[in-house]
């Protein structure tokens, strides 16, 4: 599917601007327009990823503790054990340190395992180090300015020790799961109403509707050590004021004041008027995972967006105690990582590390059907566009549904197949079953050997949210991810109370026969985009709604060992 690659790649051995080694040259998409050479004395901050010593060992350990058939199921790894897998070898550290020292550069170690370094140098130094020509580009889609280069040359004796140097040749832009569509609605009448399902849910999706439809308990969680995290970017912020009003209207059964903590990373905002995505994410974690301690991780803008994703993961991996569940409603077009496997793999392995330590990682799948985040307006792609990190096999991607009888696929629910990550074993049978049912349809438009996403789904239309004093109805897979994450946080609560470990990386469990039977299979609807019909939701797993939406009662029976 080279046609769809955002960047065309050439890898040649060359002498470039005085640096001997492997040269990589890229041709960015035309909407990245060069403006001028980056001023030589301006500074550029680069993250250098060193090759992990034993990434296969990390993956094997992750599956060993996540596969319910394994004797080690639930025996999550310590911080030190996980770090040992990804730590660079002494040779790698020496080769890279020597290389930087030759240029009089002294890096800072920014990951707990020592596999990521950061340097802050003048553009002239970066150009000399990498045989680069750092240039200011304007992203005409977003209006953002990026400092990038069209080529880098890595010395031969360093090359094999590096995963990536970012930002150099990566033209990657963050998408909020598309601007969530919304409409303004009148404030709710405050009452202790708890209507029967159909009338409750016909008006809007609120916590009572989700609790009734998915059998989610309203009783407060109480297990020691339980916690849920919400990752947020782009200066999104939620407020206590909106949350309290939301609870007055929609959780009248809760008598205590709802709350959440805010942790700022990279100078992320900690106050201000509530914004849409953050308010949605907080109101449907605090509002569903009743009394589970909730932390809002506000990640600022360190410049390149991929760095923001790197920084939150390093922040979390440095903690002794991790949130047991993490939900994110932001992502990228996978095609923007084409040719940058080192960077994409580093992200994906970071989620594997969180999973190995016992955290369930959820990402919204995206809101543009089969054509990824960015293609809804341009429709310039020639094949279906998967979203990243949803295509990483070591996390749980959440798609969208709508309606109640029947519950059907939300047409915007992003889903499809990765061009970078192969189908993992745990979903081999489920994906094979789908491809058989699909036959030859859409041949050439997607990668039949890629990791299929999403894994699961949930209601994603007409969520009522209070944003800066106003009630809105919001739609998007952004709503489904915090909801599903909250369900898992409540399942963890039951497990912790029963003396069992948390669920951690949950896909191997969900794709088992018993796991799939504990979800509501969605078999109606599809995810069209850019004029294409989109994948149909069919019996079993499909790349629109995954295995389906949660049934808490069945999941609880499954995860507390009393059978389905
Ligand atoms: C660097 O890029 C600029 C355009 O931004 C170009 O004018 C200049 O010739 C390039 N320099 C080298 C050494 O390639
Ligand atoms: C904790 O919550 C569970 C489920 O609601 C409940 O059965 C149990 O009594 C609670 N335990 C305590 C100590 O409150
Ligand atoms: C399809 O996916 C596989 C598995 O990730 C990958 O190796 C292959 O390069 C992909 N093919 C194309 C044409 O992208
Ligand atoms: C929040 O609401 C206040 C009061 O209505 C308004 O002045 C302010 O502009 C709003 N903030 C945003 C970000 O919309
Ligand atoms: C699919 O759902 C629509 C309503 O959303 C309904 O009209 C139609 O009958 C359903 N089809 C099947 C096969 O269930």
């Amino acid at each position: 599917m080279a046609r769809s690659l955002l960047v065309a790649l050439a890898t040649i051995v060359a002498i470039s601007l005085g640096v001997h080694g492997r040269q990589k040259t890229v041709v960015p998409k035309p909407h990245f327009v060069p403006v001028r050479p980056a001023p030589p004395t301006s500074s550029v901050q680069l993250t250098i990823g060193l090759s992990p010593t034993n990434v296969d060992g990390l993956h094997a350990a992750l599956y060993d503790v996540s596969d319910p058939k394994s004797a080690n199921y639930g025996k999550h790894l310590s911080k030190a054990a996980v770090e040992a897998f990804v730590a660079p070898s002494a040779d790698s550290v020496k080769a890279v340190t020597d290389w930087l020292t030759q240029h009089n550069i002294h890096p800072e170690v920014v990951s707990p395992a020592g596999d990521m370094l950061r340097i802050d140098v003048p553009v002239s130094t970066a150009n000399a180090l990498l045989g680069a020509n750092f240039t200011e580009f304007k992203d005409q889609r977003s209006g953002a300015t990026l400092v990038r280069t069209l080529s880098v040359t890595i010395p031969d004796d360093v090359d094999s020790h590096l995963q990536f140097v970012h930002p150099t040749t990566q033209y990657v832009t963050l998408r909020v799961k598309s601007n969530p569509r919304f409409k303004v609605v009148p404030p709710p009448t405050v009452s202790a109403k708890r209507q029967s399902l159909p009338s409750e849910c016909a008006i809007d999706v609120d916590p009572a509707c989700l609790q009734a439809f998915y059998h989610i308990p309203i009783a407060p969680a109480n297990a020691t050590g339980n916690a849920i995290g919400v990752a947020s970017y782009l200066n999104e912020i939620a407020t206590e004021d909106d949350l309290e009003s939301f609870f007055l209207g929609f959780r009248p059964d809760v008598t205590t004041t709802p709350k959440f903590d805010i942790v700022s990373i990279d100078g992320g905002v900690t106050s201000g008027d509530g914004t849409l995505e953050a308010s949605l994410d907080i109101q449907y974690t605090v509002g569903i995972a009743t009394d589970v301690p909730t932390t809002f991780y506000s990640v600022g803008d360190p410049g390149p967006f991929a760095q923001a994703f790197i920084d939150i993961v390093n922040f979390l991996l440095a903690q002794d105690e991790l949130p047991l569940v993490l939900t994110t409603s932001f992502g990228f077009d996978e095609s923007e990582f084409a040719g940058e496997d080192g960077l994409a793999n580093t992200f994906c392995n970071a989620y594997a590390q969180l999973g190995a330590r016992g955290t369930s990682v959820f990402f919204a799948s995206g809101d543009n059907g089969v054509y990824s985040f960015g293609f809804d307006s341009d429709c310039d792609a020639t094949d279906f566009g998967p979203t990243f990190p949803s295509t990483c096999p070591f996390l749980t991607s959440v798609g969208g549904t709508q309606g109640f009888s029947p519950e059907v696929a939300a047409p915007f629910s992003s889903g499809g197949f990765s061009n970078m990550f192969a189908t993992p074993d745990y979903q081999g049978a489920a994906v094979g079953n789908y491809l058989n049912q699909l036959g030859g349809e859409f041949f050439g438009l997607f990668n039949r050997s890629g990791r299929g996403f999403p894994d699961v789904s949930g209601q994603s239309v007409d969520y009522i949210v209070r944003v800066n004093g106003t009630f809105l109805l919001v739609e998007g897979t952004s709503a489904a991810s915090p909801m599903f994450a909250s369900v898992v946080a409540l399942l963890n609560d039951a497990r912790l109370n029963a003396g069992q470990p948390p669920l951690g990386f949950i896909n191997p469990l969900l794709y088992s026969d018993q796991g799939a039977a504990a979800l509501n299979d969605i078999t109606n609807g599809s995810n069209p985009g850019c004029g294409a019909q989109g994948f149909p939701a069919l019996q079993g797993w499909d790349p629109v709604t995954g295995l389906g939406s949660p049934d808490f009662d069945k999941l609880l029976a499954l995860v507390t060992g009393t059978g389905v």
Side-chain angles (χ1 to χ4, degrees), residues 34 69 103 239 383 421 440 557:
K69 292 193 296 294
H103 292 264
T239 68
D383 56 7
F421 297 94

Side-chain angles (χ1 to χ4, degrees), residues 8-14 21-27 150-154 156 159 169 338-341:
L9 301 163
T11 298
I12 50 176
V13 175
R22 188 181 65 92
Q23 186 186 41
K24 174 177 187 177
T25 304
V26 299
V27 181
L150 297 175
S151 91
V152 291
T153 303
I154 308 288
D156 289 329
D159 191 37
T169 53
E340 299 292 344
D341 302 59

Side-chain angles (χ1 to χ4, degrees), residues 223 492-502 560:
N492 275 337
D493 212 71
R495 281 179 63 86
L496 296 177
N497 276 336
Q500 294 170 303
T560 54

